[in-house]
Amino acid sequence: MAATPEAEVAPARLLIVDDEVRHMEALCDTLAGHGYLVVGHAGAEAALAELRRGTFDVLLTDLVMPGMTGIELLRSALAIDPRLVGVVMTGEGSIATAVEAMRSGATDYVLKPFRLASILPVLGRAVEIGRLRRENNRLQASLRRRADELEAINRELDAFARSVSHDLRTPLNALVGFSTLLGQQVGPTLPPRERGWLAGVQQAAERMTQLIDALMRLSHMGRRTLEVGEVQVAALVRGVIAELQASRAAPPPRFLIGELPDVVADGPMLRQVFANLISNAVKFSSGRPPGREATVRIGGERDGDSVVFFVSDDGPGFDPADAERLFDAFIRLKGSEQVEGNGVGLSIVQRIVQRHGGRVWASAAPGQGATFRFSLPQEGAGPGKTKAPEVSL
Ligand code: ADP
């Protein structure tokens, strides 16, 4: 049977199932009188058929019925509509079954015989939970849509960067080739001013080659499939430092290495993150007088479900107002002109970290060093270990 509530905007829809027909009908009438749109059935099969025909907010079902128990009905109903909120009605004696019903997906229960005053708040809560569930589903769907859109945009940007880089290479190679030929053929005969111009062309072409390579690296990081596995971060960082020291003529800074928890990540990509951050820390804090070498600290710790790593230096730092735009491609801050680079290292870091589901952020003050942190979500990261002392390299 069906009953319509008095004029009310979008009334909540209740499906009531009770094999005691008189009880079910009385409940339907009473609740319809309280603004609900109510449909009642005396059997579980009829109720399930009703659910397949239309949507309901709340299923209010008796627990003990011939044929199918309220728990079985609830399971089948939730399989039809997972957003349905189940409330069971049970006699005082079967409270243990009510608990089982809650485990099977019921949100609440009411003890029979009940008064209207006790069932109305339970239904009110159930309807509210249903609304929140639907709202939550809607938000999750829109988040998924947004993530898909972002991924599509990123893919398009990558494709764009790739084709631009590729298309620029051919004219650039011609520029490099012809200016080199020109330099070889007539360079020595040119007056100094014109020789300078030619050198300027060659340097600009060289710089453009580097920028295109950087753009290609950035686009590659966005496309490469993540190959995730257990990574021993302490060994990885030592490898990065050893490589950096071998490739630098200048005296190395002091490295202080703290705890570096192992993580599950893409090893080569994580290596790239540390390589970019550590080489920035080294290059931006170098050039000190002997005996006052820079100190670079590297460490990490578990923080809830993530592991957060940091690389910090006591170099010139930067204005905190720039802390976010640093990660944009080709951004180099004022004062960085003397330091080699093309402004892509931090964009690559951000891209890799984001692809792992983490985030990267920087803090600094002018003249007081810079610290870069990044988080990597880890399943079951758990509470942090005891802090290991820093080791000097
Ligand atoms: P690059 O190092 O090639 O310039 P990055 O993307 O790695 O490119 O860095 C972008 C800019 O961020 C740098 O040019 C510099 O201005 C600033 N920066 C990065 N790391 C540091 C650091 N450790 N200390 C001070 N400034 C930094």
Side-chain angles (χ1 to χ4, degrees), residues 280-281 283-284 313 316-318 326 331-333 336 340-347 370 372:
N280 274 356
K283 73 183 182 186
F284 285 104
D313 63 67
F318 50 81
L326 281 184
I331 292 290
R332 307 202 75 213
L333 298 181
S336 303
E340 194 193 319
N342 46 36
V344 169
L346 288 179
S347 315
F372 289 82

Side-chain angles (χ1 to χ4, degrees), residues 30-31 34 36 110 115-126:
T30 315
L31 292 175
H34 278 79
Y36 289 103
V110 275
R115 286 176 302 126
L116 191 63
S118 57
I119 194 168
L120 283 179
V122 172
L123 282 179
R125 273 200 303 273

